[in-house]
Amino acid sequence: MSALDALWGLYKREVIKIYRRIPPLVMTFIQPILWIVFFGSSLNGLPKEALLQMFGTTNYVAFILPGQLATSMMFTGTFSSMSIVWDRRFGFLKKILVTPAPKEAVFFSKVLGAATRGLIQVPVMIAAAVAFGVVLPADALGYVEWIVGLMLLAIGFSSIYLLVAIRSSDWQLPQLVANILNLPLMFTSTALFPKNFFPWWMRDIASVNPLTFAVEIGRGLLLGDPVDVISLGYLAAFASIALAMGLLISRKYLTAE
Amino acid sequence: MSSEAVVAENLVKRYGDVTALAGISFSVHNGEIFGLLGPNGAGKTTTIKILTGLTPPTSGRAIVAGFDVVKNPNEVKRRVGWVSSEVILDDDLNAWENLELQAKLQGVSNWRERATELLKYFDLLPHAKRPVGNYSTGMRKKLEIATALLHSPEVLFLDEPTIGLDVNTRAMLWDLIRTVNREFGVTILLTTHYMEEADALCNRVAIINLGRIMAIGAPAELKSSVGGEVVELEVERPIDLSRLRELPDVVDVAAADGRIRITVRRAEEAIPQIVRVLDFAAVKSLRVEKPTLDTVFMKLTGKRIEESHMDYRKFYAMIRRARQ
């Protein structure tokens, strides 16, 4: 089918760009590793009992890894909006839109591209965490749930960021939006600290923040306290709504200029 | 298939208060090279955007390759190729990957053979696996034309195909455009603000200025419409001009300050006749003036093409204001 052909062609382009553009690729891997190395080590001086009591593990890296990966999915979502802004500025969108390829395929390919860029971090980060002494449980299904959860999170956030830039050719807009959204969402999730550290109003936000759900799935796996599969359902709903909105809106409002 | 590849009827395009096209009509015959000649800002690119389905007209109708651009944009898009004035390729991809993407977007199934054939034809096959970012401007332009031909379009739109190119690359591209038109049997609609380009390439030309078409015709027709060619003689002493007016190819004779301006139909044929009837011992020099499309443009608009380019900063500022 030609719509799927178009989607495949466009997605392939996004993937080629991921591995052929070296600086952003390096950043994609270096940044999360820096998190593990520095932020992950920042609490190592605490007594083991204190760590165990606060985080449910004696290795803070095991606690931060799922948080960091979930946050990364959100951060790399920004790539979708940057990429559409550049395609518009270079005229590439015109080139796509003078073909019969559906506009939804353009939107979806950018979302999948950003999600892919996020997900390639997962194996690298897990390996880095193992190097820092994290012990991996043997639970195949648990990993599948975790990765699917991260993928849904990435799809949801990429869709939202892409929607913001659906008609823009301002290359500063994606960064602006990312700065406004990323940090509050990260701090009001359980990515860095457990919910019981928070004041009541932040706990309320944390319990609806999609980041929290993806974090908790991974943390449940690593710390041996699996969460309800309903978390995955929540993320699926988040991703589907954001994506569906994006596809509908792009069909009507995506323009070449 | 009808005999017209493109029919534009009274196309109007407004951006807020700015009128980019003030109602243009023309048609392009199947198989010809048709040129839209005019200064920057005349409405050439807007016309192409409408005809390729990229933007709808404010009013008017356009039929391209047999389909209405507003009612059946996808049918039109399947049948046209478009090469922008700025080269648009993905520099991170190689030529092969750029072609593959285009194939997927156009839904071409047997694209590999077609792509190989095109790369070979355009002498790009040895460079197919090199990132396009390393290509020369001429190669990039060729690759863009190849991508536009991948799905065997009926009509190829070339927007300012040689803008910013050096003389050699331009000559190469002119040849290429002619052979593509002939060998691939594709109708070509190109825009240009180079009169010599329109003259050299196009079977017919529409002169466009300020969103209006001023004249349409074959370059030779347009040029002869402004009064033919002039043979100018510089003479040392007054000579007898009476027999000149009897010559069949002479249209008009004017003499002043030792210069005789003879307006003729075709200088090549008129000069031998003139030599026979005038006392050439008194002639110091002979000069032939042939009208160019610029002469035509000047006659129609009162300005040269170069003087008529729109101030882009003002134009975009106007559009921005209009959109707010």
Side-chain angles (χ1 to χ4, degrees), chain B residues 37 51 60 72 94 112 124 127 144-145 196 245 275 285:
Chain B
L37 170 69
L51 297 179
N72 294 93
N94 60 38
R112 281 167 211 278
L124 291 172
H127 313 286
E144 246 214 306
I145 298 178
E196 67 278 11
R245 300 184 198 273
V275 172
S285 71

Side-chain angles (χ1 to χ4, degrees), chain A residues 2-14 16-17 19-21 87 89-103 106 256-257, chain B residues 15 49 52-54 74 77-78 80 82 84 86-94 97-98 100-108 131 143-144 147-148 323:
Chain A
S2 67
L4 284 180
D5 263 1
L7 176 61
W8 172 245
L10 289 165
Y11 174 62
K12 193 170 170 188
R13 168 175 179 246
E14 298 295 325
I16 292 175
K17 288 174 96 70
Y19 66 78
R20 218 164 269 172
R21 293 220 73 115
D87 272 358
R89 290 180 79 88
F90 284 125
F92 208 84
L93 261 183
K94 273 191 265 180
K95 188 149 177 153
I96 299 171
L97 296 182
V98 290
T99 71
K103 291 178 178 178
V106 180
E257 286 172 324
Chain B
Y15 296 100
K49 277 192 202 153
T52 51
L54 210 49
N74 280 349
K77 288 172 180 181
R78 264 185 259 282
V80 304
W82 171 72
S84 67
E86 70 272 49
V87 181
I88 305 176
L89 292 164
D90 193 321
D91 285 357
D92 292 328
L93 307 186
N94 60 38
E97 290 159 345
N98 268 291
E100 178 179 4
L101 173 59
Q102 185 71 15
K104 300 288 177 203
L105 293 173
Q106 279 289 0
V108 184
L143 179 57
E144 246 214 306
T147 28
R323 279 183 180 160

